[in-house]
Structures are given as structure tokens and as C-alpha cells.
């Protein structure tokens, strides 16, 4: 009788990439709001989502240094539980509801990749890094404060995918806009048997459920953002034509469920 | 209309981790035959497979430097198409047929990980390295020949998982034993919705289909093999109690199909 | 006329691994005090240092997530300026003065490795990770506070070198003990010409000079620490026979100088 | 009494990054000949070298998958002894003699980086990959033969530094041109003491000595080569204005000495 939630299933249920939820997350976020070609944004949407008539082409690029734990003190196994992630969320509509859609996401950890696929996040491997804040005062350490700059970068296959620099200006008294749109993903797992390769085993639109979503230390300001052209990737088709706000905050939530839309 | 075979589905179908088959593979293999505790071997088997009454506990550890291509000259994108893999295959029976079962497999490439999951190989990320042969004569380069030694190693999460050293002694006139047992895998993809987490969306026993399987330059000899104990892994439960032959060969095949067993 | 401070010297002086000081550092530290076999500790000392008669065998293992900047806003190039480091400092004496000696140090960044060699830190590449603290409350995020646990690990060559778990208990009102001993290093750079390989070009004992050394948010508690045996390394010869305090703090300083002792 | 040749010096002399020579090397080479702006090439030369009046601006880009051993069977420790390297060699003159000068070189292994610094190769860390040849016939495996293509790439800091594709056309009956020019390097190791940072401890022009240099399986053809622009690097200042021959061969030599020029 094999144990576990994901592969590899195993006698003791320890080797699997992810145990069953609850999955707890805490992260440091650098975000940059941007607008891209509306046609390019709309082209990324799956069946079931439509372009948002009020904000099509609007999105946010997020770089997050995450720490994860389930129920076994995984946060004390930092090699497996810390990871760095970069993704974009594009405005869309599901049955009239404003939602966010994640076309591309990169992460440096196989456990996070496995959980992501199960949630419908289409994760690939990438290298993601962000400037950190410290409480000690030193030229190497930007304190959170007006005019302070923070950078973040993402690379995949030895190509630079994304660069951002944000300049924070003031604390955000109201962070509700940061989590206003639910995230819609596409769970997708193909068949390999000949004749069935166009008929995936799993292909379903889902809405993420984030329990106890908490934001702290949120500051807003301005952002620079670029998505250089990379062979074998399509992120640069969403290259910013202009940017909006830059953000920096801490984020926590727990995943125990997901809502199937279709 | 999104294009692609795996995630991420995308407007141009370029960003996905794997396009539809055919998937062509060529690799350099170092293999070490071993016997482990029969109860430990049997404990790794999924429903539908049974211990092989004639060889339960017998397996082979394989370290392969792979090169991959599909239909777009992927072998000219070596960052994405080369990878290094380590896995064990354990003897088992499926409805009386001798087969190989892959309980654990590690790879250093997300494209290979995605294809593996679709085939039912339960791939995790790892670092895998093997001694190479060269045609130039130098103390750094063991020529393929009697008494020559080759080593291979695998690590995951910063722990050493496996070490082997083989000593080749003579060419293998008949390599049919190397591919005699078909490989049986378990395709498995969980549900995340609350209440359905014990009811996976995909959970099916499959048999790999390797077209045009070719072996070249096969030499056999002896092997040393160890699976050190690693927190968070279960491979060491299959630690060798004795080893058999060591092998070194080149291997090629093409994947276009898979046979569903249940 | 080539520009730069370290290799590669180049026309524009941009490509070099390190520009001239000032070098500014800020870091998050997890530390574990330990005692090892006094003979093993003494055996690591270079000519010019002697065992500390009062505390021979006593040392501290430090895991630091660093951020670096020189004079070009390097902290906004996080791929090159962030790094993770693990090292041990052993008690010793230099001409009667209590000092710390760094026999082994591992880092994941070539810029840090180059600066380290120039300072006399004998850096090798390794993978180093530590549990992070966050301000948001979540099971994934240990808040700094009594009884909270933090882990840190180091690996090299695919082997686990060091594991620690500290449990913080209370803020440290006085952190002067953390920086009481100056660090003594050995700058060493060999010759390669035949007949001169035993006569290094640089071989000098030096004392590190840390300007504006600042510690913040220091908490102390207890520590567990292990140095597993690793082929090709000698750190495990300093394996702890017992541990003392565990620490967690932020550290900043600037390097502009170094004192040559011999 | 500390043992070893490079840092870290240690009680047993095992932990050091490199033991004393002999250093034996075997490698698979992909090379691309190119011409760049002569002024840019000349600008990379150190004092003591001058532009080659007959071929200034001419160079070769080399991508090598190396295997190393010293006297302890290091080739059986493949994690430490295998590595991947990319560098350019530019034509120059030393006292009238045609030589090659290496302005930039990237490698993925700290042992190779340490040996390189000692030889005067200004190594930085990078990720380097090349298409491999196999003896088995498969679409994934280009056999060495007329019209076959091989690619190689180098990246650093998450940016793509160099891409080449060569098309081999015929075996090279005479490979002497591949090794005709001796390689001249600059050994350089700075001082850190205030006031001495412009006065390096080591700064000497040297000529590499490669014993028993052997080339096998050499094929020549054509080459494509690009050096994309990368912040923090200067390689792209040598971007090809045209390319010449492409090469693929195996190379072996042993290092036991070096000739000091000044």
C-alpha cells in the first residue's frame, strides 16, 4: 500500500514531492504593475476566460521569496521549503467576475513546481532573486522607506526573463486592491497513449482558494519593468508598454482547497 | 486558442515544457546491478504489480547522461535538451509477466521532469554526474577497456543519494538482457479540491513503449554501489546487500506511445 | 590600459569579480556555538597562531544570508550581490591576543569567493540555506520570539556538510561578545612554475578590519549542530562534541582595509 | 603544519581546491573562429602584449566539456572533476611571437576556477553546455559527419553570454593550427591593505605550458557565433563581425609548469 499525495508514492510516504494540504506559505513580495498590448494579453486566455473589457492588457509581475511548511515542520528543512518565484497575473473575466490569470510562472524548487501543477499554476524552473531589506543600517541594505529602491530578476535556460526595479514611496493604508481579484488557473495533465495526445486526462479551469490571506508592511511607489526576448519562451510577448505602481509587502496564506469552475 | 502539449499552454505553443511526441533520446549509461532486502523491494510496488517470485529484491541502478530532441532540432538547444538522470528499476511481475518498476528517479531538467510525469516516471530534481570516456589518451580519460573504472553519483536536496563505481571487463556480445523487462510506471496526478484529495484525477498503471531501442558499445564488469541514508528520501530503504554486474553502454529510443494496463 | 581590481582586468573595468573597496555588507546570521576535539582544532592553525589555552576547541558555526554593495548600487543587481555563506571560526591566539581563525568557508557566489580569497578567507563553493523570519503570522513563518526554531544547512559537492537548528529564547542585551575576537586569516596564492610550487607567491597572516560593525535584533538560545562526514572535505574533523548557545541576528560592516600580521 | 597547494590549507591536505600538479585534462571541444573590431580586441591586451599586425581582431571561441584528474583518481569523483568551460582566445604578439590572449573565461566548478587563477586564466562562474555526439543512431544524436550540427552556449548571472552553432564538414588531416599559438595569461592577485590596493601582490605575464598536448577526432566546417549584450560583462565588446571555421575535436594535455614572461 503506497503512501503519499504526489509522486513518488512510496512505502513510508516521506519521499513524495508534496504531502496533502494544508500548505502554509509566507513570502516577501516585489511587484510591478504594467500594461501590455491588449491583443497579446487576450491571446494568453484559456477557454472560459475572456478579456476584461475595463482593463484588458493590465497585469502585475510578482517576484516572491517564499517559505513553505505543511504539517511536519518543513520550514526547518530550508533546502526543500524555501524557494524563489516569478510570475505574471493578467486581468481577465470569468462569467463577468474580474479575475487574474497566470499565463507564465517560474520557480527554483521541484516541490513548489509539483504543488503548482496541482493548483493549475503552469510552473517551469527558473532562477529568481530580489534585493532584501535589513534592519541594520548599511549601504548594502536599503531600509524600507521613501525613495528606497529594490530590484528583482528572473532567468530561465540561462536567459534573463525579467528585470524590475521599484522605488517605494509610502506605506499603503489599504491593501485590499492587492488581493481583490481571485486567481484562475488551468489544471492540465496530458495523455501519452497514441491517439489520445490531443485529449488531456485533466483540463479544468479552477479558482485558487487562499485561506487567511494576510498582507503586512506594504509600501507602494513606482516601477520599471522589462521582459527581454528569450528563445523558447513567450513571456516577452507581454512586454510592458508602460508601468504603474511598484509594491513591496509580505504575504501569507494557507491552501487547503480549490474551486473547480469547469 | 492555446497551443501546446504540457503546461504552460500558450498562444504560440513554444513555451510548453514538452511538445507532443515523437520524443527522441540518446544517452550514455552507467548501470549497477544489485540485490536489496526483498521486503523493502516489495513494499515499493503499486497495486497491480507483485513481487517477482524468482528475483524479488533484484534491481538495477542507472545513471544516464541524456540528450533529447523532438521535431524542432531541440538538440541544438543544449541547455534545455541535455540532462542527467538517476533511477532504480526493481524486478516485479504484472499478470505473470516479468517487468521493471521504477520507484525513484531524479533528474536535473524541468522538461525531462514534465515528460517523465506524463510517462509515469515519478521524477524529482537531483544532481547526477558520471565519469566520461574520451578517445584521447590521458590520465584524466579512462578509455573503454578491460579494468577501466567509471564512477557515477546522484544528490538531492544537498545530500548524496547514490554512489557507484563500475569496473568494465569485456564487451557484451549479447545485450538483450539489458532491455528484456518492460518498464511499468504509475501515472498519478492528484485532485486538490477539499474532500477529493484522496481521489486522484489520474492513477493508472502503464507500460512504457520504447520504439527503435538501440544499444551500442556495451561493456560489462563489476560494480560497487551505495545508497546513503537521506532525510526526506526513501531510496536508502533499498540499500544494496550485494551487487552484481556493472555496465556501461549507449542507449537510444523514441517515445510515441504508452500502453495503459489499468 | 586594463582597468579593475580583480580578474578579469578589462578595458572598461566592469567585468572584474570585485571592484576596489569600500565593500559594504549586510546579513542575516544564524550561529551555533560548539566545542570540538581540542587536538583537531589546534591542527587547523597556521604558523603564527597558537591554540587558545583558555578555550581551545571552542568555535562557532555561522550561516549568513548576505547582501553586498560597493559604490555602483550593486545591491540592485541581486543575482551578483546576494549570497549565502557558511563558515566556522575557531578560538586561537595571536601573540597572546584572543582571535578567531577561519579554517573552512563555503559560499554560492563567485564575486564573494574572489573577495574572500583577497581577504584570506579560504572560500570554496557550497550551497547554504537558512530558515527566514517574516512579519506576517503563518505556520510557515517563525516569528522572532521565545521558543522559535530556525534551521540552517550547508552542502558541497552534493554532500551535506552541516546542519543546525537553533531555538531562540531571549533578546541579547549585550552583543559585544559576538564581535570580541578579531578574525585572523591566511592570504595564500601559489606559484605554478616548476620548482616553485612549494614557495607560494602570497602567504601572509592577516587580521580582518571591519568598519562600522553593527549588530541588530540579536536573540540567543540553544543550538543543535552536526558536521556529517564528507569525502574530500575536512570540516567533519571538527565535529561538535557538545554545543553551546544558538544565535540569530543581523550584521553589517564595511571593508576598506586589512592588517598584515606577518 | 598545514598541508595543501591552494586554499584551504588543512591538516590532511584533502580539503584544498587543487593539489599540486601534475594536472591532467581531457575534453570535448566546440570552437568557432571569429573576427571582431580590431580596436576592441587590442583594448583587452595587458602591458607586454601587442596587437598582432597580421591578425588583430581575430579570435576563437571555445566551449569545452572537461574531465580532470591529478594523482588521486579524481576522475572517479565526477562532481568535482567534470566541468564545462567557455572562453575566447584573441590573437596577439609577445616580443614578436604570435600568441593567444584569454581576456574572458567562464566555468562551472570552483576547483577549475582555483586552478585557472593560478595559471592566470581570469575565470568567473558561468553555465556552459554543448550538444554531444553519440555512437547510437537517433534523431537526438548527431553523428560526427558531414553536415552535422552541434551547438554550444554560455551564460553568467542569468544572462546568455554566447551562442554558437557549428556545422562540421570534413575531418581535419592537420590539426597543428589548432595549437600553434601559445596561450599567454596574466596572473593577478590584489593587495587589500589600505594604500596598497593599486599595487597587486601578483601581477605577472605568463605563458602556459601544456605537456603531451593531443588532439583527436578533429572535424572542421562553418560556424555561427553571437555574444549578446550583458550588463556587468564586457565580452560583447568583442562581438563577431564575421565568423570563420567551426571545429569539433577532443583535446588532452597535462599541466606541470608555467613560464613567467615578466
Amino acid at each position: 500500500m503506497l503512501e503519499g499525495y504526489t509522486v513518488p508514492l512510496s512505502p513510508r510516504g516521506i519521499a513524495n514531492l508534496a504531502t496533502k494540504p494544508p500548505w502554509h506559505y509566507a513570502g516577501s513580495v516585489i511587484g510591478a504593475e504594467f500594461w501590455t498590448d491588449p491583443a497579446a494579453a487576450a491571446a494568453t486566455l484559456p477557454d472560459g476566460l475572456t478579456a476584461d473589457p475595463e482593463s484588458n492588457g493590465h497585469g502585475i509581475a510578482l517576484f516572491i521569496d517564499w517559505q513553505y511548511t505543511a504539517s511536519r515542520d518543513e520550514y526547518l528543512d530550508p533546502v526543500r521549503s524555501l524557494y524563489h518565484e516569478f510570475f505574471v497575473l493578467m486581468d481577465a473575466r470569468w462569467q463577468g467576475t474580474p479575475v487574474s490569470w497566470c499565463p507564465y510562472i517560474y520557480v527554483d524548487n521541484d516541490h513548489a513546481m509539483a504543488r503548482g501543477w496541482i493548483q493549475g499554476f503552469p510552473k517551469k524552473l527558473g532562477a529568481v532573486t530580489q534585493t532584501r531589506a535589513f534592519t541594520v543600517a548599511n549601504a548594502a541594505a536599503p531600509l524600507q522607506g521613501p525613495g528606497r529602491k529594490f530590484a528583482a530578476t528572473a532567468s530561465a535556460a540561462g536567459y534573463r526573463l525579467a528585470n524590475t526595479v521599484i522605488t517605494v514611496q509610502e506605506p499603503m493604508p489599504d491593501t485590499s486592491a492587492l488581493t481583490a481579484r481571485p486567481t484562475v488557473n488551468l489544471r492540465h495533465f496530458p495523455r501519452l497513449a497514441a491517439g489520445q495526445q490531443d485529449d488531456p486526462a485533466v483540463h479544468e479551469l479552477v479558482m485558487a482558494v487562499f485561506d487567511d490571506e494576510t498582507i503586512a508592511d506594504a509600501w507602494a511607489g513606482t516601477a520599471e519593468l522589462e521582459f527581454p526576448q528569450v528563445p523558447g519562451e513567450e513571456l516577452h510577448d507581454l512586454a510592458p508598454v508602460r508601468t504603474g505602481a511598484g509594491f513591496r509587502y509580505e504575504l501569507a496564506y494557507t491552501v487547503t482547497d480549490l474551486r473547480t469552475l469547469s
Side-chain angles (χ1 to χ4, degrees), chain A:
Chain A
M1 180 61 189
L2 297 182
E3 304 287 336
Y5 178 61
T6 69
V7 293
L9 302 181
S10 61
R12 292 190 283 130
I14 288 172
N16 60 169
L17 281 163
T19 56
K20 257 188 288 188
W23 296 340
H24 306 286
Y25 297 89
S28 293
V29 183
I30 288 180
E33 187 188 24
F34 69 99
W35 284 262
T36 190
D37 171 21
T44 70
L45 299 180
D47 284 349
L49 294 188
T50 53
D52 189 316
E54 294 182 15
S55 64
N56 184 29
H58 176 261
I60 189 159
L62 293 166
F63 303 78
I64 310 186
D65 283 1
W66 284 114
Q67 189 163 279
Y68 163 84
T69 211
S71 304
R72 297 173 180 171
D73 284 347
E74 282 84 352
Y75 76 97
L76 294 179
D77 180 6
V79 175
R80 295 187 178 94
S81 65
L82 272 76
Y83 60 102
H84 309 83
E85 194 163 77
F86 161 68
F87 57 109
V88 291
L89 292 176
M90 305 305 298
D91 288 4
R93 290 281 174 102
W94 174 71
Q95 295 187 351
T97 302
V99 299
S100 286
W101 160 247
C102 176
Y104 307 115
I105 178 167
Y106 299 84
V107 70
D108 63 359
N109 178 300
D110 54 345
H111 302 270
M113 193 163 133
R115 292 191 308 265
W117 281 36
I118 292 162
Q119 295 171 283
F121 283 106
K123 295 191 183 183
K124 298 171 70 170
L125 287 184
V128 183
T129 316
Q130 66 173 251
T131 304
R132 288 185 57 173
F134 292 85
T135 54
V136 288
N138 179 285
L143 299 170
Q144 186 85 293
R148 296 308 180 118
K149 290 179 184 293
F150 296 84
T153 70
S155 299
Y159 280 105
R160 189 63 64 99
L161 279 172
N163 289 311
T164 195
V165 177
I166 66 162
T167 306
V168 299
Q169 297 296 0
E170 54 189 0
M172 294 182 73
D174 178 1
T175 61
S176 58
L178 295 173
T179 55
R181 287 175 178 261
T183 301
V184 173
N185 288 317
L186 182 66
R187 278 170 45 93
H188 177 85
F189 194 77
R191 286 193 175 84
L192 180 58
Q196 302 180 10
Q197 294 166 5
D198 290 319
D199 178 26
V202 179
H203 187 85
E204 57 192 14
L205 213 58
V206 295
M207 185 175 285
V209 178
F210 297 135
D211 301 339
D212 302 322
E213 194 166 23
T214 310
I215 286 180
D217 284 343
W219 283 64
T222 56
E224 302 163 57
L225 179 68
E226 60 173 1
F227 299 156
Q229 190 154 341
V230 177
E233 305 293 337
E234 297 179 50
L235 173 67
H236 55 266
D237 291 342
L238 300 178
V241 292
R242 66 185 172 92
T243 54
F247 302 100
R248 192 167 181 282
Y249 53 95
E250 296 210 347
L251 173 66
Y253 56 70
T254 295
V255 170
T256 59
D257 193 4
L258 138 165
R259 176 179 168 202
T260 303
L261 302 182
S262 68

